[in-house]
Amino acid sequence: MRNIREERQKSKAKRLDMRKSDEFNFMLGKAVEDLPESTKGAIRGSIYAIVSKKGTKEAKDFIGKKHTEGLIDTQTQKRLLDLIFDYSKYR
């Protein structure tokens, strides 16, 4: 019994709290509203999918990659990272 519990705890990752997904999606739209229309939707959708399915670590890596590519500025990067960690939990 103990091994099963330990395995479940190891498999948990910090992901989007699905009870707050609508609020997260709204706040995500506010965070990326300064971006050009051509990249706004793609970045918003990608971040939502990554943080809800894979986890916050992968989403953080994705945001860092987009920052180094020059698609988002430092202020937007900070807002997105804060938003991800505010709306996530272990599941």
Side-chain angles (χ1 to χ4, degrees):
M1 195 69 158
R2 184 170 172 88
N3 290 336
I4 294 171
R5 184 179 301 150
E6 288 174 2
E7 288 178 19
R8 285 184 187 161
Q9 288 177 346
K10 288 180 184 177
S11 67
K12 289 186 177 183
K14 197 165 188 182
R15 296 185 188 126
L16 178 64
D17 184 0
M18 295 310 285
R19 287 182 273 169
K20 299 179 181 179
S21 65
D22 291 337
E23 186 178 347
F24 173 78
N25 206 7
F26 176 77
M27 295 302 290
L28 184 59
K30 290 287 188 182
V32 297
E33 68 185 359
D34 296 337
L35 297 177
E37 284 293 323
S38 59
T39 59
K40 186 188 306 187
I43 289 179
R44 182 178 176 185
S46 297
I47 290 173
Y48 184 82
I50 291 169
V51 77
S52 63
K53 291 186 171 77
K54 292 183 181 178
T56 56
K57 185 178 183 295
E58 291 83 0
K60 181 181 174 186
D61 294 342
F62 176 78
I63 292 169
K65 182 177 145 191
K66 294 302 172 186
H67 180 260
T68 56
E69 290 175 3
L71 292 175
I72 58 174
D73 60 351
T74 306
Q75 183 181 5
T76 305
Q77 180 188 20
K78 183 179 179 338
R79 273 187 286 169
L80 291 171
L81 292 175
D82 291 344
L83 185 67
I84 285 172
F85 289 110
D86 287 346
Y87 285 91
S88 59
K89 71 172 190 174
Y90 286 97
R91 60 176 183 95

